[in-house]
């Protein structure tokens, strides 16, 4: 073991170096470090610069044998806390910008990338700098989590916890937000065009994974001081990052900044082959004798750069080729990456190279310069023979960011620190082999009828009520629960902005106090879009999602998918066996789509599932808990239609015992849906007569049972999905002016075109007819007429009391048509409700961020639009 006196001497040497090169410049009021000759304090530079101070504090604590060493450790720790809190306070002053950015994602609403080191206030206007630098905010969160896990307390109040939680929301969409990147100027030409940068996405992914479920108050914290993330956001970053590497952005083929995400501090890449490929690409294209170029054709501080302007012309980039400045800081990244990966050969190689390019300062201390540049009189020689000319140090000497990484590397190689002390959250273990994943699947029947039907096919499952005390809810309930996260009235923070919850989030179980909650996947939510009513489409999504879980599950415990079986999923209108039965039988074999699965009861899976504590709700008062409970009850309404409309067949004419007045009202609006410009039925089937049933005797949720459906289909074989050829638009093409009108405008124009046909019909009388009829077509006609003439918000009072607007009836008609597979009416009512494909924007974004082109519309121009960014 090393002699204590020698260890003390070495640590004292590093303390003197740190004091002179870093801490001597720390502002005593704000704790911030100015950059170079200015008073501006960059977030990124400050965080990197203080890392060596944190590392030395850990080293003194580890080696402390005398009281003086413990005092030095405490002093260094407080310097770290002072700087990190200084950055936190500067960021919190911009809470209004943070709140706006969550909605707009506009670069001008971004948090500033640098602040005045003397006051902590902003130092550059919103539009005078590329402030949107997601990697800087992500780095702050990542190091905040690591320092908190090591024992430092940086966050003091619950208001600060709420702000940090909203910083998580700020970076969680990094995979689709172009920013100005680590070098602050956007694309390679410095024209200020933000790009999607791999280094920003990787740092955001690392920060999201690291800070998840970290208690910012440390061992003295409670439920309210824990940070939460939804794992699907980190996974989206992971997917986009893997598709981009080793490329940095659209304009940068590769960037040495990627060393910060494949190694320390991010460890964001868990694919060893991709990591090695990225590292070798950087070595091959960017490494030189004095360091690495930031990226190819980087003109910063070269002899041919025009210092009078920041931007370059495209043709101008060629003159920077082979004379790019080389930055020794990247040798420091190579050393740290080798230490954490156990590659001693790499460590020794780059330590020897780095020692040759360090310079000695005026006081005799070895320091790292910012960069090495080709002198102006040697540029032509360098052009003719790249790498042949001696370069001279330029820029900041010392470069505090690089100096900090250099000292960290020395502390690690000399044994004063171990990798685990700088990485208490074990980010470095991302590539450790993981056991084969088993996806747990729970099938729940809607009621006893479905349960009995499944039992007839040797499929024994529980019903929704059988899983008590575990509560099962749709994904939208989980989305609402997480919308409460990060809310703070004093700071004006509204919490999580997104309403999406992904598959990874719904595949966990959740515990709130003594209650366990499970959630169904979002693709099963019928209230989003009508594709969720297509059984075969849902089963295909299910198989895809099981494979997705196998590839992307990173959490402790197994994923659990809860799949409800509703009546409409059991298609009795066909002579064939419902297709969902075949899928369940496949699950019983233990494999589906190449993934191991375990089919069982929900209660049996609690001990093996991934369970998350909803601690941010545990501290709520009784009133807040009651409000949340009521909201959950409202959101978790059953998928069956609301009991306002009667039901029998899809076609029905009132019988002879209906009053003449009712028949007159009915006939006056019959066929209005078919005459609408938005949809037209050509082949009209004969209408059937059967006795009317009063609305209070036959409600869809209790009359449409599995026993009724086969007889209904047998009695009325025309209850089927109409062919696509039976639906078409109006024969005459619309004018150019009409192309720009909304769907509702076309409906209103249709109403006015046929106004004389409906003149004299009282809407109240039609509501009475609607109350009596159980014909799907007649209900559609009446509701459509009410929609056109009264709008969605008109109260029909169909139940004899206020509280039933037209929108509620349209929703019921939409669900009812979906259950009966009447797709023409499903599409029509979906248009009335302005429903849209919830994932369409996200899918389009996924294509664009993977550098793909997207064509929208139909040729020729100008109806077709090509989107590239």
């Amino acid at each position: 073991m090393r002699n204590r006196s020698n260890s003390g001497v070495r640590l004292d040497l590093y303390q003197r170096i740190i004091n002179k090169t870093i801490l001597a410049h720390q502002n005593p009021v704000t704790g911030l470090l100015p950059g170079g000759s200015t008073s501006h304090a960059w977030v990124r530079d400050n965080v990197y610069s203080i890392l060596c101070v944190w590392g030395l504090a850990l080293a003194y604590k580890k080696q402390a044998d005398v009281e003086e060493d413990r005092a030095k450790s405490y002093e260094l720790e407080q310097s770290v806390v002072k700087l990190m809190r200084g950055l936190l306070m500067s960021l919190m002053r911009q809470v209004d910008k943070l709140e706006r950015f969550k909605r707009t994602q506009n670069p001008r609403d971004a948090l500033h990338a640098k602040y005045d080191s003397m006051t902590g206030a902003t130092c550059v206007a919103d539009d005078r700098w590329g402030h949107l630098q997601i990697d800087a905010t992500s780095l702050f969160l990542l190091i905040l989590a690591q320092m908190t896990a090591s024992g430092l307390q940086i966050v003091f109040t619950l208001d600060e916890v709420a702000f940090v939680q909203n910083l998580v929301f700020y970076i969680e969409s990094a995979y689709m937000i172009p920013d100005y990147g680590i070098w602050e100027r956007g694309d390679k030409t410095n024209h200020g065009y933000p790009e999607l940068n791999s280094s920003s996405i990787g740092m955001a992914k690392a920060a999201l994974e690291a800070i998840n479920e970290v208690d910012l108050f440390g061992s003295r914290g409670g439920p309210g001081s824990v940070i939460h993330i939804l794992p699907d956001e980190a996974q989206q970053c992971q997917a986009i990052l893997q598709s981009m590497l080793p490329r940095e952005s659209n304009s940068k083929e590769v960037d040495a900044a990627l060393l910060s995400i494949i190694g320390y501090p991010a460890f964001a890449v868990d694919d060893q082959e991709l990591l090695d490929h990225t590292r070798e690409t950087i070595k091959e294209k960017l490494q030189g004798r004095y360091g690495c170029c930031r990226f190819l054709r980087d003109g910063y501080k070269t002899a041919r750069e025009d210092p009078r302007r920041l931007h370059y012309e495209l043709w101008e980039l060629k003159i920077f080729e082979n004379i790019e400045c080389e930055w020794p800081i990247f040798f420091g990244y190579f050393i740290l990456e080798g230490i954490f990966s156990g590659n001693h050969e790499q460590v020794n190689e780059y330590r020897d190279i780095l020692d040759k390019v360090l310079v000695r300062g005026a006081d005799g201390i070895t320091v790292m310069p910012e960069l090495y540049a080709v002198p102006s009189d040697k540029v032509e020689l360098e052009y003719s023979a790249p790498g042949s000319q001696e370069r001279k140090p330029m820029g900041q000497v010392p470069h505090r960011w690089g100096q900090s990484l250099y000292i960290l590397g020395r502390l690690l190689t000399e044994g004063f620190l171990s990798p685990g002390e700088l990485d208490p959250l074990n980010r470095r273990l991302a590539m450790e082999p993981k056991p084969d994943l088993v996806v747990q699947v729970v099938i729940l029947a809607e009621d006893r009828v479905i349960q009995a039907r499944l039992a007839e096919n040797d499929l024994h499952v529980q019903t929704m009520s059988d899983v008590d005390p575990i509560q099962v809810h749709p994904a939208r309930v989980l989305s609402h629960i997480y919308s409460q996260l990060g809310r703070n009235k004093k700071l004006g923070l509204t919490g999580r902005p997104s309403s999406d919850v992904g598959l990874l989030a719904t595949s966990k179980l959740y515990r709130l106090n003594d209650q366990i909650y499970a959630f169904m996947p979002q693709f099963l939510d019928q209230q989003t879009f009508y594709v969720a009513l297509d059984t075969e489409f849902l089963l295909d999504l299910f198989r895809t999602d099981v494979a997705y879980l196998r590839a992307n599950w990173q959490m402790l415990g197994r994923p659990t998918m809860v799949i409800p079986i509703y009546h409409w999923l059991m298609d009795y209108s066909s002579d064939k066996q419902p297709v969902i039965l075949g899928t369940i039988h496949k699950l019983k074999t233990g494999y589906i789509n190449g993934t191991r699965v375990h089919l069982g009861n929900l209660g049996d899976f609690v001990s093996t599932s991934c369970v998350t504590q909803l601690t941010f709700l545990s501290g709520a008062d009784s009133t807040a808990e009651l409000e949340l409970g009521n909201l959950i009850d409202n959101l978790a309404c059953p998928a069956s239609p609301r009991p306002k409309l009667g039901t029998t067949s899809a076609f029905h004419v009132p019988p002879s015992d209906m009053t003449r007045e009712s028949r007159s009202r009915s006939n006056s609006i019959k066929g209005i849906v078919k005459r609408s410009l938005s949809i037209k039925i050509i082949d009209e089937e004969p209408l059937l007569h059967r006795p009317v049933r009063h609305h209070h005797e036959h409600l869809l949720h209790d009359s449409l049972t599995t026993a009724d459906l086969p007889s209904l289909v047998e009695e009325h074989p025309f209850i089927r999905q109409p062919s696509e050829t039976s639906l078409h638009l109006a024969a005459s093409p619309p004018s150019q002016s009409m192309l720009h009108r909304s769907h509702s405008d076309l409906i209103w124009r249709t109403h006015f075109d046929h106004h004389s046909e409906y003149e004299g019909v009282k809407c109240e009388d039609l509501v009475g007819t609607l109350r009596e009829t159980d014909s799907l077509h007649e209900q559609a006609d009446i509701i459509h007429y009410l929609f056109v003439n009264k709008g969605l918000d008109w109260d029909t009072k169909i139940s004899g009391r206020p509280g039933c607007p037209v929108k509620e009836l349209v929703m019921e008609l939409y669900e009812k048509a979906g259950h009966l597979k009447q797709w023409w009416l499903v599409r029509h009512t979906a248009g009335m409700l302005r429903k849209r494909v919830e994932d369409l924007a996200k899918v389009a974004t996924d294509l664009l961020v993977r550098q793909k082109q997207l064509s929208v519309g139909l040729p020729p121009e100008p109806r077709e639009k090509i989107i590239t960014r």
Side-chain angles (χ1 to χ4, degrees):
M1 185 173 174
R2 184 180 288 105
N3 186 300
R4 170 68 188 96
S5 60
N6 290 338
S7 299
V9 169
R10 293 295 296 171
L11 290 178
D12 289 344
L13 171 62
Y14 289 125
Q15 184 192 25
R16 286 195 295 272
I17 295 175
I18 287 174
N19 282 336
K20 289 191 175 183
T21 59
I22 295 176
L23 292 181
H25 303 280
Q26 187 175 25
N27 187 278
V29 177
T30 64
L32 301 180
L33 292 167
S37 58
T38 72
S39 63
H40 298 178
W42 277 261
V43 174
R44 182 188 306 101
D45 294 53
N46 270 246
V47 173
Y48 272 121
S49 298
I50 210 65
L51 286 179
C52 67
V53 183
W54 175 46
L56 185 60
L58 293 173
Y60 266 121
K61 183 182 293 186
K62 183 178 180 180
Q63 301 287 338
D65 290 333
V66 296
E67 195 64 31
E68 183 181 356
D69 287 345
R70 296 189 183 91
K72 290 179 180 178
S73 175
Y74 181 77
E75 291 168 7
L76 292 168
E77 285 180 347
Q78 295 311 299
S79 295
V80 175
V81 172
K82 181 78 172 177
L83 182 138
M84 294 295 287
R85 284 196 57 78
L87 289 176
L88 180 61
M89 294 302 103
S90 294
L91 291 168
M92 288 187 69
R93 288 192 178 104
Q94 296 201 298
V95 64
D96 56 331
K97 293 176 68 65
L98 170 61
E99 188 62 25
R100 285 201 305 272
F101 184 84
K102 289 191 302 183
R103 299 191 307 271
T104 67
Q105 296 179 352
N106 189 320
R108 293 197 177 189
D109 293 330
L111 296 173
H112 280 209
K114 59 180 182 178
Y115 300 91
D116 191 307
S117 62
M118 302 181 69
T119 64
T122 58
C123 55
V124 181
D126 294 348
D127 58 350
R128 302 296 295 174
W129 197 260
H131 288 295
L132 180 52
Q133 300 172 30
I134 293 177
D135 73 296
T137 308
S138 301
L139 177 69
F140 172 78
L141 289 174
L142 171 61
I143 301 304
L144 173 66
Q146 294 278 26
M147 289 179 174
T148 301
S150 74
L152 296 183
Q153 185 170 349
I154 298 168
V155 175
F156 292 169
T157 68
L158 289 177
D159 294 326
E160 294 173 6
V161 172
F163 181 79
V164 172
Q165 181 66 68
N166 279 267
L167 285 181
V168 170
F169 303 147
Y170 180 85
I171 69 168
E172 69 179 4
S173 297
Y175 62 90
M176 62 178 182
I177 301 178
D179 70 341
Y180 294 99
I182 191 171
W183 309 124
E184 304 187 299
R185 294 186 181 181
D187 74 317
K188 189 184 290 190
T189 62
N190 290 356
H191 276 263
Y193 300 135
E195 295 184 301
L196 210 62
N197 294 284
S198 295
S199 54
S200 295
I201 297 172
M203 197 63 72
K205 171 188 179 286
L208 292 171
E209 293 176 341
I211 205 168
N212 186 32
E213 297 190 8
V214 169
D215 192 328
L216 294 183
F217 290 172
S219 59
R220 292 171 288 185
S225 54
V226 178
I227 298 297
H228 299 267
I229 72 160
L230 286 173
D232 298 273
E233 306 297 345
Q235 183 52 45
Q236 284 279 11
C237 292
Q238 163 84 347
I240 301 303
L241 179 63
Q242 288 187 333
S243 71
M244 292 180 66
L245 289 177
R247 193 175 191 90
E248 164 68 356
S249 68
N250 191 46
S251 68
K252 301 185 181 80
E253 302 87 347
V254 67
D255 195 309
L258 296 175
L259 291 170
S260 66
I261 66 168
I262 66 173
Y264 185 81
F267 303 104
V269 181
D270 54 14
D271 184 336
Q272 185 65 55
E273 185 177 347
L274 182 60
L275 189 153
D276 294 338
H277 178 47
T278 303
R279 186 199 309 112
E280 294 306 315
T281 303
I282 294 172
K283 287 182 179 182
E284 176 188 348
K285 296 187 176 181
L286 302 179
Q287 184 173 323
R289 283 192 296 161
Y290 299 89
C292 293
C293 308
R294 299 189 303 179
F295 48 86
L296 297 176
R297 297 185 175 181
D298 175 20
Y300 179 68
K301 286 192 180 296
T302 61
R304 294 297 172 88
E305 182 185 40
D306 186 351
R308 295 169 298 178
R309 54 187 171 87
L310 289 176
H311 71 276
Y312 310 132
E313 303 299 334
L314 282 174
W315 59 266
E316 191 179 9
L317 295 177
K318 178 67 175 176
I319 67 175
F320 303 134
E321 190 170 341
N322 296 326
I323 64 168
E324 301 96 336
C325 294
E326 296 178 357
W327 297 59
I329 184 177
F330 298 113
F331 289 159
Y333 278 111
F334 275 119
I335 292 172
L336 289 173
E337 198 243 327
I339 292 171
F340 279 92
S341 64
N343 189 340
H344 302 293
E345 183 179 346
Q346 177 176 312
V347 173
N348 294 331
E349 175 189 353
Y350 284 98
R351 187 173 59 185
D352 294 340
I353 299 175
L354 182 58
D355 288 341
K356 295 177 184 178
V357 298
L358 297 177
V359 299
R360 194 166 295 277
D363 48 9
I365 294 177
T366 302
V367 295
M368 181 185 290
E370 180 179 7
L371 52 84
Y372 280 85
V374 178
S376 57
D377 58 340
K378 302 288 182 64
V379 169
E380 294 300 331
L381 295 174
E382 186 71 11
Y383 278 148
S384 59
S388 63
Q389 302 303 306
E390 297 292 326
R391 297 172 177 243
K392 62 180 181 180
M394 292 182 62
Q396 300 176 31
V397 182
H399 184 231
R400 298 193 195 105
W401 174 354
Q403 185 77 7
S404 177
L405 297 183
Y406 165 69
I407 294 174
L408 269 186
R410 300 298 300 185
L411 291 173
L412 286 164
T413 53
E414 294 183 28
F416 293 115
L417 287 176
S418 64
E421 290 173 295
L422 285 178
D423 180 30
L425 295 173
N426 297 322
R427 296 284 314 149
R428 67 195 184 281
L429 304 179
M431 283 184 293
E432 289 293 315
K434 299 175 179 63
D436 191 18
L437 184 72
V438 177
V439 178
Q440 300 173 157
V441 180
V442 178
I443 303 295
L444 295 179
E446 181 182 11
D447 53 29
R448 298 294 180 189
V449 176
I450 295 294
Q451 186 183 40
R453 286 281 188 176
L454 293 174
E456 292 173 3
N457 291 273
D458 195 28
L459 298 173
H460 303 283
V461 302
Q462 295 176 302
T463 65
M464 298 284 192
S465 58
D466 290 338
V467 298
D468 284 341
I470 302 174
Q471 295 187 26
V472 180
H473 295 297
R476 60 181 178 272
V477 175
L478 181 62
S479 173
H480 177 78
I481 289 175
Y482 269 91
S483 70
Q484 311 296 310
L485 186 60
R487 290 187 176 182
N488 186 284
K489 291 183 179 179
K490 288 193 287 184
L491 292 174
L493 294 170
T494 57
R496 185 172 183 265
S498 174
S499 61
D500 294 330
V501 288
L503 180 65
L504 298 179
T506 56
S507 297
K508 298 193 293 182
L509 300 184
Y510 294 84
R511 188 186 299 273
L512 176 58
N513 299 326
D514 297 327
Q515 180 66 56
I516 296 178
Y517 295 89
F519 297 94
M520 309 169 201
Q522 187 151 355
F523 71 82
L524 289 170
D525 191 350
Q526 299 176 49
Q527 293 192 12
T528 54
F529 197 64
Y530 57 77
V531 292
L533 299 170
D534 188 320
T535 305
E536 293 190 12
F537 180 75
L538 288 183
L539 293 178
D540 186 64
L541 281 179
F542 169 72
R543 289 187 288 268
T544 302
D545 285 350
V546 169
Y548 177 85
L549 287 174
R550 179 197 61 192
N552 298 295
W553 187 263
Q554 303 287 339
M555 291 163 280
L556 294 176
R558 293 175 175 177
T560 302
M561 292 187 71
V562 180
I563 307 298
I565 306 297
Y566 297 113
H567 282 273
W568 59 270
L569 283 171
M570 305 289 285
D571 186 4
Y572 299 105
S573 61
S574 172
D575 295 335
K576 298 179 181 179
Q577 189 182 56
V579 292
I580 195 168
L581 297 181
T583 301
I584 301 176
H585 280 296
K586 182 67 175 175
L587 290 171
K588 289 184 65 177
T589 66
Y591 277 90
I592 189 169
N593 204 13
T595 303
R596 289 181 60 195
V597 294
H598 184 191
L599 187 64
N601 294 332
L602 187 56
D604 299 335
F605 289 154
V606 172
S607 60
T608 55
S609 298
C610 176
V611 182
T612 293
Q613 301 282 345
L614 296 174
T615 54
F616 59 94
L617 297 176
S618 300
D621 56 32
S622 57
T623 303
E625 286 188 1
L626 181 61
E627 291 178 356
L628 180 63
N630 293 334
L631 284 169
I632 289 177
D633 291 339
N634 293 333
L635 287 168
C637 59
S640 58
R642 301 152 181 82
K644 299 288 191 305
L645 304 177
T647 181
T648 54
S649 67
F651 299 85
H652 177 70
V653 171
S656 57
D657 61 345
M658 183 180 287
T659 65
R660 181 176 303 174
E661 183 182 358
S662 297
R663 288 199 303 270
S664 175
R665 292 195 304 262
S666 172
N667 292 332
S668 66
I669 53 84
K670 185 175 67 177
I672 181 175
V673 173
K674 292 181 286 184
R675 290 191 296 269
S676 170
L677 284 179
S678 62
I679 189 168
K680 182 176 287 187
I681 308 294
I682 299 299
D683 184 18
E684 183 175 338
E685 299 281 357
L687 299 179
L688 295 178
H689 298 264
R690 50 185 297 187
V692 83
R693 294 180 176 131
H694 295 291
H695 73 285
H696 62 276
E697 294 176 352
H698 286 274
L699 305 179
L700 183 59
H701 75 291
D702 60 6
S703 66
L704 187 60
T705 65
T706 54
D708 294 333
L709 275 171
S711 60
L712 180 63
V713 174
E714 183 178 355
E715 182 180 357
H716 306 300
F718 52 81
I719 303 179
R720 54 177 173 80
Q721 179 179 344
S723 63
E724 287 296 322
T725 57
S726 67
L727 307 176
H728 66 83
L729 296 175
S732 58
S735 64
Q736 286 297 321
S737 60
M738 189 175 290
L739 287 175
H740 300 286
R741 293 199 175 104
S742 66
H743 172 70
S744 59
D745 182 45
L746 293 179
I747 292 176
W748 277 101
R749 286 181 61 83
T750 305
H751 161 63
F752 288 126
D753 291 344
H754 296 280
H755 183 73
S756 59
E757 207 171 323
Y758 318 128
E759 192 172 356
V761 178
K762 293 183 178 180
C763 291
E764 291 77 7
D765 294 339
L766 292 177
V767 172
T769 303
L770 184 64
R771 186 184 301 116
E772 297 168 356
T773 184
D774 53 8
S775 165
L776 186 64
H777 260 194
E778 191 167 2
Q779 290 169 355
D781 286 339
I782 295 173
I783 292 174
H784 178 84
Y785 184 79
L786 295 176
F787 165 77
V788 169
N789 286 272
K790 294 295 187 180
L792 287 174
D793 297 327
W794 185 68
D795 193 349
T796 63
K797 301 179 183 178
I798 192 171
S799 301
R801 57 181 181 274
C804 183
V806 173
K807 183 177 182 180
E808 183 76 12
L809 298 179
V810 177
M811 279 295 301
E812 180 176 349
L813 186 62
Y814 166 78
E815 294 169 351
K816 183 178 178 181
H819 292 188
L820 293 173
K821 310 299 183 185
Q822 297 295 306
W823 301 118
W824 64 272
L825 186 53
V826 169
R827 288 189 290 269
H828 188 67
T829 49
M832 294 165 69
L833 293 167
R834 295 183 178 273
K835 285 186 175 289
R836 58 186 175 86
V837 183
E838 298 291 336
D839 292 334
L840 186 59
K842 185 180 293 186
V843 171
T845 301
D846 285 345
L847 291 173
L848 293 173
V849 298
R850 287 174 168 85
Q851 317 300 319
K852 307 297 183 182
Q853 288 188 351
L854 189 62
S855 176
V856 180
L858 295 172
E861 294 284 356
R863 295 194 301 166
E864 184 181 31
K865 177 70 175 178
I866 305 297
I867 304 174
T868 59
R869 54 184 299 173

